[in-house]
Amino acid sequence: MDLSLILIIVGIIIIIASFFVGNQSKQLEKDVEELSLNFYQETHQLKRRLKVVEEELLIEPQTFAKQKKKVSPKPNAKVGINGIHQILISQVLTLHKQGYNTDEISNRSALSSDQVKAIIASGGYRL
C-alpha cells in the first residue's frame, strides 16, 4: 500500500505542477506570436519600400520613345554635338569602345543615329 500511496501523491504533485508550467507555455506562445507579427510587418514595410524604389528606377519604354522623338533632329539638318550633354557624349564613346554599333547606341542613349555618328567622329574614332 505504501507504493500506491506514493504514486497517488506523485500524481497529484504532477497535476499541480502542470498548472504552473501551462502558464509559461502560454506566455511563450504569446511572445512567439507577437514576434511573428512584428516580423511580418517589417517584411511588408521593406517590400513596400523596395517597390517604391523599383518604380523610381524604372524607365518606361513609352516615355523613352517619346523622349527620343523629341531629341532627334530633322533628317536634312546638319548634325553637331553642340547642345548634347557631356555625360551623353561619354556614354556614347564608352558604348562605342565596348563594340556597340550606332543603332544600338542610338537606342540606348535617346540620340539619333546621326548625332551618335557625329559624337564618335569628334571623339577621334572610326565608324
Side-chain angles (χ1 to χ4, degrees), residues 5-30:
L5 186 61
I6 293 173
L7 289 176
I8 291 174
I9 292 173
V10 170
I12 292 173
I13 292 173
I14 290 174
I15 290 173
I16 293 172
S18 69
F19 288 114
F20 296 112
V21 173
N23 290 337
Q24 292 176 354
S25 65
K26 288 181 183 179
Q27 181 65 32
L28 183 63
E29 286 179 14
K30 184 178 178 182

Side-chain angles (χ1 to χ4, degrees), residues 14-107:
I14 290 174
I15 290 173
I16 293 172
S18 69
F19 288 114
F20 296 112
V21 173
N23 290 337
Q24 292 176 354
S25 65
K26 288 181 183 179
Q27 181 65 32
L28 183 63
E29 286 179 14
K30 184 178 178 182
D31 290 343
V32 169
E33 184 177 337
E34 186 177 322
L35 183 65
S36 66
L37 285 175
N38 287 338
F39 179 73
Y40 174 75
Q41 289 174 347
E42 290 177 7
T43 304
H44 181 69
Q45 288 176 353
L46 286 174
K47 285 181 181 179
R48 202 172 60 211
R49 289 178 187 169
L50 183 61
K51 184 177 179 182
V52 168
V53 169
E54 287 175 346
E55 289 174 356
E56 288 177 358
L57 293 176
L58 284 179
I59 298 175
E60 295 180 12
Q62 296 171 351
T63 307
F64 185 70
K66 289 178 185 177
Q67 290 175 351
K68 184 177 179 185
K69 289 178 183 177
K70 292 178 184 177
V71 173
S72 61
K74 296 177 184 175
N76 296 331
K78 183 179 179 184
V79 177
I81 60 171
N82 295 337
I84 299 175
H85 200 276
Q86 185 62 35
I87 294 174
L88 278 176
I89 293 172
S90 63
Q91 178 187 17
V92 167
L93 293 175
T94 302
L95 289 173
H96 181 68
K97 287 179 188 176
Q98 292 175 357
Y100 289 95
N101 63 28
T102 56
D103 292 331
E104 292 171 333
I105 296 172
S106 174
N107 289 336

